[in-house]
């Protein structure tokens, strides 16, 4: 099968090839699902609101040793049949083709082509905001291709959706869904496989380059949904350069590469007072909104009855970010985690413990991939870096409201970079707990062990930790192929 879908040939009927942003906006607004806001942005209402993970299949050209990005597979004959259906469908309904690059300039920079139906041009418009250097060269040859046909219904598709991945050819075909997250994931999934093959690992993380007494320091901020990752990385572009808000590649030696040149952010509950930088970006004319409640021409981000699946997509320049300038080697691996009632507000962990805490952040997510390869690769990468690693209990450390510069995770981040945090070893947890954390005045909350010590209940404290570690041990045991030393380091 050709890497480039044959329906994108310039001689094909109704092909809009490499349109500019303005033309993509016009094409998007021609859809009945789209309308304009009073800010001039495009707001689309989609039929599908989530990714269909059980509908994702991989077609293997060779034996990849169990390293496919998804576990379900599809027979090549069935996959080729869907490809032909999709090509015939696009030739009838018309298509939009957007080209550009994933990955900041460097060896991991890969050409991407996104093809979608003309009636769903906003999918291409959103992706264009995420690409580095969108191109207008008619002879552009992509390394990766995503073909999306939301109106094509394939009989027997789970949930009416199919996502079929050809890893070696760098092609993914998506049918039956108009949810942008599926198109975006298709692209970053393939990029992540190329990064892995190059010895790196793609992380769902925000990336900042912040000044400190030790010079410019690169920080990765990781965490489960609603842990405060976006609030932290989008807090103040004048104080730290935003490199990426979603996906980055970590390479040997601590080198960091941004995946995209734009942002996708949840807008449910968005407040101009609490998140001024993000609110300003979301209300720019060039931004695409997805499923944001709208009354007249006014979008309502903070509507209590609004959908939690509302999103905004905008270029990194809208928040003062810059992803393609040189990024120093990683200095701080910051993992935000709601934690447990025994966890310190901030705990410094060693390199051997980081992969375990990294995998534990997904506990409770029944759809998380249970492959040990990411933990194993992270352990390998950390051995070649000079990175500090800190786990922050985000259920204790407050967010940073405007007008409270000394409160929350931002001043904690500054103190971590400056090396001004005092640490106290907790031999039971096998971590170093921060002695104090801005915005957390209760010493028992900063370091829960103190409470047990004060009332003479250290034996109970040790038992609770043993019980907690047993649940962690069971959970990490679900990760096939995980190095036993990773689980042992935290349990």
């Amino acid at each position: 099968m050709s890497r480039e879908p044959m329906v994108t040939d310039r001689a094909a009927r109704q092909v809009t090839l490499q349109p500019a942003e303005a033309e993509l906006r016009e094409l998007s607004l021609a859809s009945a699902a789209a309308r304009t806001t009073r800010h001039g942005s495009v707001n689309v209402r989609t039929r599908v609101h989530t990714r269909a993970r059980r509908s994702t299949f991989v077609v293997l050209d060779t034996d990849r040793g169990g390293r496919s990005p998804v576990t379900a597979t599809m027979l090549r004959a069935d996959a080729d049949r869907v490809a032909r259906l999709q090509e015939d469908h696009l030739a009838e309904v018309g298509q939009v083709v957007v080209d550009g690059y994933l990955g900041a300039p460097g060896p991991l920079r890969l050409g991407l082509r996104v093809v979608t139906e003309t009636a769903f041009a906003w999918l291409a418009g959103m992706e264009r905001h995420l690409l580095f250097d969108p191109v207008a060269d008619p002879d552009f040859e992509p390394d990766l291709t995503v073909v999306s046909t939301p109106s094509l219904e394939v009989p027997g598709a789970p949930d009416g959706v199919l996502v079929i991945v050809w890893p070696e050819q760098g092609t993914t075909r998506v049918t039956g869904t108009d949810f942008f997250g599926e198109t975006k994931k298709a692209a970053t999934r393939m990029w992540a496989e190329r990064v892995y093959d190059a010895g790196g690992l793609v992380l769902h993380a925000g990336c900042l380059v912040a000044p400190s007494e030790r010079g410019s320091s690169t920080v990765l901020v990781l965490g489960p949904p609603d842990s405060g990752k976006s609030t932290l990385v989008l807090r103040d572009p004048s104080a730290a350069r935003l490199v990426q808000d979603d996906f980055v590649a970590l390479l040997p030696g601590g080198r960091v590469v941004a995946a995209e040149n734009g942002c996708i952010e949840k807008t449910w509950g968005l407040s101009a007072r609490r998140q001024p930088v993000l609110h300003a970006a979301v209300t720019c004319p060039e931004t695409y909104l997805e499923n944001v409640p709208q009354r007249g021409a006014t979008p309502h981000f903070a509507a209590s009855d609004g959908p939690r699946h509302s999103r905004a997509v905008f270029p990194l320049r809208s928040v003062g970010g810059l992803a393609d300038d040189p990024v120093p080697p990683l200095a701080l691996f910051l993992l935000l985690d709601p934690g447990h009632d025994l966890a310190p507000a901030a705990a410094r962990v060693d390199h051997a413990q980081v992969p375990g805490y990294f995998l534990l952040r997904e506990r409770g997510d029944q759809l998380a991939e249970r492959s040990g390869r990411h933990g194993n690769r992270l352990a390998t990468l950390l051995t070649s870096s000079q990175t500090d690693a800190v786990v922050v209990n985000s259920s204790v450390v407050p967010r940073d409201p405007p007008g409270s510069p000394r409160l929350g995770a931002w001043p904690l981040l500054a103190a971590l970079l400056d090396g001004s945090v005092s640490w106290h070893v907790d031999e039971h947890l096998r971590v170093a707990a921060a002695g104090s954390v801005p915005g957390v005045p209760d010493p028992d909350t900063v370091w829960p062990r103190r409470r047990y010590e004060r009332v003479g209940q250290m034996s109970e404290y040790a038992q609770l930790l043993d019980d907690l570690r047993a649940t962690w041990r069971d959970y990490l045991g679900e990760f096939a192929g995980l190095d036993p030393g990773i689980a042992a380091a935290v349990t």
Side-chain angles (χ1 to χ4, degrees):
M1 179 180 299
S2 170
R3 179 183 299 167
E4 180 180 344
M6 67 181 184
V7 293
T8 63
D9 189 284
R10 294 186 297 279
R13 184 165 64 91
Q14 304 179 71
V15 176
T16 304
L17 181 65
Q18 300 167 340
E21 287 186 22
E23 186 176 2
L24 278 168
R25 185 179 185 278
E26 291 179 6
L27 290 170
S28 299
L29 287 172
S31 169
R35 50 185 168 168
T36 309
T37 73
R38 68 182 181 89
H39 308 293
S41 54
V42 177
N43 189 8
V44 297
R45 181 181 294 114
T46 64
R47 176 176 53 84
V48 180
H49 299 150
T50 59
R51 284 182 47 222
R53 301 193 188 191
R54 77 185 193 99
S55 300
T56 303
F57 300 87
V58 65
V59 181
L60 297 181
D61 289 333
T62 59
D63 181 8
R64 294 173 62 86
R67 286 176 38 235
S68 64
V70 288
T71 56
T73 60
M74 178 176 286
L75 293 175
R76 178 165 300 281
D78 293 333
D80 289 347
R81 177 178 61 85
V82 174
R84 289 192 293 271
L85 286 173
Q86 192 178 49
E87 291 173 354
D88 291 343
H89 179 77
L90 280 171
E92 289 298 319
V93 301
Q95 61 199 275
V96 176
V97 182
V98 167
D99 296 328
Y101 295 90
L102 281 180
L108 294 178
R109 178 180 168 94
L110 298 177
L112 173 69
R113 166 161 291 174
V114 173
V115 183
T116 190
E117 298 176 50
T118 304
F120 300 86
W122 70 78
L123 295 173
M126 291 177 176
E127 188 63 48
R128 193 182 193 279
H129 276 340
L130 303 184
L131 293 175
F132 288 93
D133 302 325
V135 300
D137 180 359
D139 297 319
F140 176 78
E141 292 289 340
D143 302 289
L144 308 172
T145 300
V146 177
V147 187
S148 178
T149 49
S151 69
L152 175 61
E153 298 182 2
V154 178
D159 303 318
V161 177
L162 278 178
V163 181
I164 307 175
V165 186
W166 284 262
E168 280 75 19
Q169 294 170 324
T171 298
T172 298
R173 295 178 178 271
V174 182
T175 71
T177 177
D178 56 355
F179 181 60
F180 176 63
E182 203 73 78
T183 300
K184 170 183 159 56
K185 180 62 177 179
T188 55
R189 180 194 294 115
M190 293 188 295
W191 187 71
E193 284 300 298
R194 300 296 179 89
V195 170
Y196 192 92
D197 290 342
L201 179 65
V202 169
L203 300 170
H204 186 196
C207 180
L208 296 170
V209 175
S212 72
E213 292 184 355
R214 296 180 287 181
S216 295
S217 299
T218 299
V219 182
L220 291 186
V221 184
L222 300 88
D226 300 319
S227 62
K229 175 176 70 73
S230 294
T231 301
L232 180 57
V233 300
L234 291 169
R235 180 187 182 276
D236 188 356
S238 67
R241 172 163 66 98
L242 175 63
V243 175
Q244 176 62 199
D245 79 322
D246 205 14
F247 287 99
V248 299
L250 179 61
L251 302 173
R255 183 180 168 217
V256 174
V257 177
E260 296 163 328
N261 201 28
C263 304
I264 179 169
E265 290 291 340
K266 293 181 295 184
T267 62
W268 184 85
L270 176 63
S271 165
R273 181 183 64 82
R274 291 184 290 105
Q275 297 164 290
V277 174
L278 178 56
H279 189 274
V282 166
T283 52
C284 284
E286 60 191 351
T287 295
Y288 282 85
L289 304 178
E290 186 179 60
N291 298 312
V292 173
Q294 185 169 324
R295 298 167 193 164
T298 302
H300 286 262
F301 306 111
S304 60
D305 58 346
R308 290 179 177 265
H309 50 260
S310 57
R311 299 288 189 275
V313 181
F314 48 88
L316 198 60
R317 62 178 182 265
S318 297
V319 286
L322 193 62
D324 53 1
D325 270 11
V327 178
L330 181 61
L332 177 62
F333 192 97
L334 191 65
L335 182 58
L336 306 178
D337 186 17
H340 48 85
D341 57 7
L342 302 178
R348 189 174 61 190
V349 297
D350 61 38
H351 285 182
Q353 295 171 310
V354 174
Y357 282 110
F358 166 74
L359 296 177
L360 284 168
R361 85 196 192 286
E362 296 179 342
R363 59 193 182 277
D365 184 352
Q366 299 302 313
L367 296 176
E369 181 183 346
R370 297 294 192 266
S371 168
R373 67 175 185 139
H374 289 166
N376 296 341
R377 176 57 57 83
L378 180 57
T380 299
L381 291 170
L382 289 174
T383 61
S384 65
S385 73
Q386 301 297 316
T387 303
D388 290 332
V390 175
V391 179
V392 174
N393 188 342
S394 60
S395 64
V396 172
V397 178
R399 309 284 177 90
D400 294 278
S404 302
R406 295 183 61 79
L407 182 64
W410 188 267
L412 173 59
L413 172 60
L416 292 171
L417 292 174
D418 289 341
S420 59
V421 176
S422 61
W423 301 99
H424 305 273
V425 175
D426 186 327
E427 65 273 12
H428 292 86
L429 274 172
R430 300 198 295 273
V431 301
S436 63
V437 171
V440 187
D442 183 357
D444 288 349
T445 303
V446 172
W447 190 11
R449 169 181 167 163
R450 290 168 171 157
R451 179 173 67 252
Y452 290 89
E453 286 180 327
R454 189 175 63 254
V455 298
Q457 293 182 344
M458 286 303 295
S459 60
E460 288 85 346
Y461 177 75
Q463 184 60 55
L464 289 171
L465 280 179
D466 286 344
D467 294 343
L468 180 64
R469 288 197 184 99
T471 64
W472 289 359
R473 193 158 43 244
D474 291 343
Y475 175 78
L476 292 175
E478 299 174 8
F479 287 78
L482 182 66
D483 184 336
I486 290 176
V490 296
T491 62

